[in-house]
Amino acid sequence: MKFEALMMRSLLIAGLLVCALVMGAMVSASPDTVRLAANDGGKLLAPTVCAMHDGVVCPRADNNG
């Protein structure tokens, strides 16, 4: 019985450790876009040319409606 209790306790500790590491990684993560926006001085990160020329996905500037 002591072996099973030891195994269950070690499994619980391992699970808690994995959860703590995942939460720590999520809290301390800084995506590339956030770092680029913070260090870039407000430059436009989006493309200025539309890849889809159908007028639906990227509306044209000359459309008035």
Side-chain angles (χ1 to χ4, degrees):
M1 187 69 175
K2 288 189 178 205
F3 178 72
E4 289 88 0
L6 181 65
M7 290 297 290
M8 291 301 290
R9 185 171 289 160
S10 64
L11 182 63
L12 175 68
I13 291 171
L16 289 174
L17 181 64
V18 167
C19 288
L21 288 173
V22 168
M23 287 295 290
M26 287 192 304
V27 168
S28 65
S30 179
D32 291 336
T33 54
V34 172
R35 280 188 266 143
L36 283 174
N39 295 333
D40 209 13
K43 290 183 181 177
L44 183 65
L45 295 176
T48 56
V49 178
C50 182
M52 301 288 290
H53 297 289
D54 59 354
V56 176
V57 177
C58 301
R60 295 187 182 102
D62 59 353
N63 284 347
N64 293 329

